[in-house]
Amino acid sequence: MASDPVPEYKEIESVYGLEGAPAATHRLQRLAAAFRKQFGADPELFARAPGRVNLIGEHIDYEGYGVLPMALRLDTVVAIRRGGDRLVVANLDAEKFPVVEYGTDPAQAVDTAHHVWANYFLAAYKGVYDFLASKGADPPAPVGLQVMVHGVVPLAGGLSSSAAIVCSSALAVMAVRGVHPTKGEVADFTCKAERYVGVTSGGMDQAISVMGQPGVAKLVEFNPVRAEDVHLPPGATFVIANSLTVSKKQETADRRYNLRVVECRLAAALIARKLGAPPAAAAAVRTLREVEPAVAEKFGPGLKGKLRAVDELLERGNYLQDKIEADLGVPLSELFAGEPSPLRVVGVVAGEGFKLRDRAAHVYSEADRVYKFRAAAEDESSGAEALPRLGALMDASHASCARLYECSCPELDTLVGVAKAAGAIGSRLTGAGWGGCTVSLVRHGDVGPFMAALRENYYSPLLASGRVTEGGMGEVLFASPPSSGAAVLRIKLAPSEGEEGAAVEAPARERKREPVMA
Ligand code: GLA
């Protein structure tokens, strides 16, 4: 439940299970050893947060609608200790992710124009202070922090590597300062915090990273954020396949992710205006969900009414800035005043125009599919029909993402086609899209032949050209059961065998506990 505290575990099995414990222990030992080498002392604790796969409900969280993801086993772990007078953020993979240092002032800006990997840590750090301020607590005086990160969620792959690092960093910072938040609080503030890196994302990724549980997918809803268990039918396996086309959300935001958020907001404002709201009231509308009551009143309830409204109130094709401003009666500079991300989008694409009708049609129909998916998954009377019903909804979701939302890409479409031909009951892109992964619903007994067919029909040229290696295939094509959400780990680790230099104790002054602040 959202009101439950974020768990703190002393045993590694609590997160990774008996089976996963040896590999996880080895990984934490490596992380601790690298930490000692970098900082000359043991970490005080670890925090971990998983990536996710979204089963259905794409690009609708920021419009206020429920989504249906599950947490993956793949996660990011952060080791942390108080010390020094800077924020020093290191990574176990030091070659790819060099050490970054920041001052400790939580008010410092995140430099979005020069994005570096550790900005996600800084965003989380700022978010912790925002959260404490929002609770009216006296924020703790900043102290230096030493941090070592290790992530295994594929980057820019649609599996929420960014939420995994933001959530694990936030938990680490809070735990080391004696703050004990609820899951709902963390889901809420980390979502806002991640926007410091410049992507105006919704709250799905952080919510499932924090509230995920083994064995169940979750219906995540917002305002306030909450999650309900969704039991998947027996025999259903979800296989994740990476298209190996990278889509960096942060770097492409102005023309992709943030542009879609802007288009939805403009569609909602125009619908409100056309339904009689005065210009200022229409301009204050932020989501398509907000205009639902007015739409239902004029066009009738349910999806049918919404699609009729979209059809009648919004024009096909691209809206240029002048046209939107004339129809709305408000300049876009005023509509987005004080919001740097949307203003940047307007600056970059206003000349080409915004597509509103198709985007709104996707949002309304995808939101409807989420509830149909949950109903089909949990309908025990549906028997053999359950999986085909889920599959059909996933296929429809992909078609809508590709045609109406235009967030697919040729490689994802090919991969979905290959998956369907290989016997997937349903297959779709997952996450923000424009690259990254697909998720396919496959009968448990068919997983082996299914993966073999994908290998043959999608990956063999990529293997031949070296884009992926045999050894790397396990990270590119895999099935993952619904797994644990984020947690703080206070685990006693024996130094890893053959580690150079024994564990170094931190000076006594730095090891004393801070007062508990929340
Ligand atoms: C990204 C965002 C999420 C969500 C998805 C698309 O993962 O972070 O909030 O909008 O894209 O469904």
Side-chain angles (χ1 to χ4, degrees), residues 52 54 57-62 160 201-205 249 257 431-432:
R52 60 98 190 96
N54 189 23
E58 224 60 86
H59 284 281
I60 58 172
D61 56 349
Y62 47 79
S160 281
S201 46
M204 160 167 69
D205 306 350
K249 225 173 26 184
Y257 194 94

Side-chain angles (χ1 to χ4, degrees), residues 133-465:
S134 76
K135 291 197 66 156
D138 254 351
V143 296
L145 295 173
Q146 298 168 336
V147 175
M148 175 80 67
V149 177
H150 184 230
V152 292
V153 186
L155 298 184
L159 302 179
S160 281
S161 55
S162 54
I165 183 171
V166 169
C167 293
S168 53
S169 299
L171 292 187
V173 170
M174 293 180 117
V176 86
R177 307 288 331 250
V179 182
H180 303 287
T182 65
K183 293 181 183 181
E185 286 171 335
V186 178
D188 187 58
F189 87 74
T190 50
C191 163
K192 295 178 192 139
E194 201 174 315
R195 297 190 189 135
Y196 281 127
V197 300
V199 182
T200 49
S201 46
M204 160 167 69
D205 306 350
Q206 300 79 8
I208 190 65
S209 186
V210 176
M211 299 202 257
Q213 278 180 330
V216 282
K218 296 272 181 178
L219 173 69
V220 175
E221 295 176 293
F222 304 95
N223 306 314
V225 64
R226 56 204 187 276
E228 262 176 49
D229 292 356
V230 176
H231 296 272
L232 300 166
T237 300
F238 290 93
V239 176
I240 293 151
N242 196 327
S243 68
L244 295 177
T245 295
V246 165
S247 176
K248 294 190 175 164
K249 225 173 26 184
Q250 201 274 344
E251 288 167 25
T252 60
D254 295 342
R255 291 195 161 269
R256 292 181 171 173
Y257 194 94
N258 289 358
L259 171 58
R260 292 294 177 272
V261 179
V262 163
E263 286 174 324
C264 288
R265 183 147 151 214
L266 294 175
L270 270 188
I271 290 174
R273 180 80 190 101
K274 301 235 156 155
L275 288 176
V285 167
R286 298 190 70 93
T287 65
L288 285 160
R289 187 174 190 139
E290 282 171 51
V291 294
E292 261 195 32
V295 164
E297 201 175 299
K298 170 116 198 264
F299 292 91
L303 180 60
K304 238 178 163 176
K306 287 180 214 147
L307 293 180
R308 262 192 57 213
V310 167
D311 220 32
E312 287 184 26
L313 302 180
L314 300 176
E315 291 174 18
R316 278 174 205 280
N318 285 10
Y319 276 80
L320 292 178
Q321 181 170 355
D322 293 357
K323 161 91 177 140
I324 298 180
E325 293 182 340
D327 283 7
L328 257 183
V330 177
L332 295 189
S333 55
E334 200 177 294
L335 185 95
F336 295 121
E339 297 182 56
S341 298
L343 285 174
R344 241 191 350 259
V345 167
V346 172
V348 171
V349 298
E352 297 155 36
F354 302 91
K355 250 191 203 176
L356 307 189
R357 186 178 171 279
D358 288 356
R359 310 306 184 225
H362 165 77
V363 169
Y364 285 138
S365 56
E366 183 76 353
D368 189 63
R369 279 187 285 273
V370 169
Y371 291 93
K372 290 193 171 128
F373 190 95
R374 192 219 357 213
E378 299 208 315
D379 177 2
E380 284 169 14
S381 67
S382 61
E385 278 306 299
L387 297 193
R389 277 165 62 195
L390 298 180
L393 290 163
M394 292 173 72
D395 291 345
S397 168
H398 185 76
S400 180
C401 283
R403 290 190 210 124
L404 297 176
Y405 220 66
E406 295 177 283
C407 63
S408 187
C409 65
E411 294 83 356
L412 282 172
D413 292 341
T414 301
L415 190 48
V416 162
V418 168
K420 289 294 291 178
I425 305 167
S427 187
R428 57 183 295 277
L429 66 82
T430 185
W434 293 286
C437 291
T438 60
V439 56
S440 301
L441 171 59
V442 180
R443 266 178 238 285
H444 193 60
D446 296 343
V447 171
F450 173 76
M451 286 197 186
L454 255 60
R455 240 189 100 91
E456 180 62 29
N457 299 325
Y458 186 81
Y459 291 106
S460 56
L462 298 167
L463 279 160
S465 69

Side-chain angles (χ1 to χ4, degrees), residues 45-133:
L45 54 88
F46 302 92
R48 58 85 63 175
R52 60 98 190 96
V53 59
N54 189 23
L55 302 182
I56 198 154
E58 224 60 86
H59 284 281
I60 58 172
D61 56 349
Y62 47 79
E63 290 306 297
Y65 288 109
V67 293
L68 214 152
M70 65 190 201
L72 295 175
R73 277 193 192 134
L74 302 171
D75 64 3
T76 295
V77 181
V78 171
I80 194 165
R81 166 180 184 276
R82 287 161 293 165
D85 56 4
R86 310 267 295 157
L87 305 177
V88 184
V89 191
N91 196 298
L92 192 55
D93 191 350
E95 248 175 56
K96 244 184 172 164
F97 307 108
V99 177
V100 183
E101 288 196 27
Y102 302 98
T104 58
D105 181 2
Q108 70 190 286
V110 177
D111 184 356
T112 51
H114 305 98
H115 184 65
V116 291
W117 74 274
N119 279 356
Y120 290 106
F121 178 88
L122 183 60
Y125 178 80
K126 289 169 66 61
V128 169
Y129 278 85
D130 292 345
F131 165 68
L132 292 171

